Amino acid sequence: CGKPICRKKNLDAHVRTHYKDNDAFMHACTYPGCTYKTLQEGNLKTHIGKHTGDLSHRCPECTFTTNYQGNLIRHRKVCHGYEP
């Protein structure tokens, strides 16, 4: 597809997105009734935090907590003028 990928591991994961039948590569949530599936194992670990209540990403400037690193970065930018 021509998308530039920096790391071999990321390239392998990206190539799987082009497979017609990628169910064999999916990581599925094991919580009862949850149908979440993803190609990347790290995304599944983050998703499971929704079920466990894991709020391991904490703002160093206030009491905000989240299970998604991206949410923390957005919070810090909006609320505290953070620039990565």
Side-chain angles (χ1 to χ4, degrees):
C1 70
K3 180 176 181 174
I5 306 289
C6 297
R7 296 184 183 123
K8 170 95 169 79
K9 183 177 181 178
N10 293 350
L11 176 61
D12 294 342
H14 176 75
V15 167
R16 287 192 295 259
T17 66
H18 293 287
Y19 292 163
K20 289 181 182 176
D21 183 21
N22 58 13
D23 277 347
F25 301 104
M26 297 298 267
H27 298 277
C29 182
T30 57
Y31 276 79
C34 184
T35 59
Y36 181 83
K37 292 181 181 179
T38 181
L39 284 169
Q40 297 180 353
E41 187 177 8
N43 290 348
L44 177 60
K45 288 178 183 178
T46 300
H47 164 80
I48 287 176
K50 286 184 171 182
H51 297 293
T52 63
D54 172 31
L55 299 174
S56 59
H57 298 283
R58 302 180 188 285
C59 179
E61 301 172 55
C62 71
T63 59
F64 179 81
T65 58
T66 182
N67 67 325
Y68 288 106
Q69 183 179 11
N71 288 352
L72 175 59
I73 292 170
R74 182 175 55 249
H75 161 81
R76 291 183 70 199
K77 285 178 179 178
V78 170
C79 297
H80 305 294
Y82 173 70
E83 293 182 27

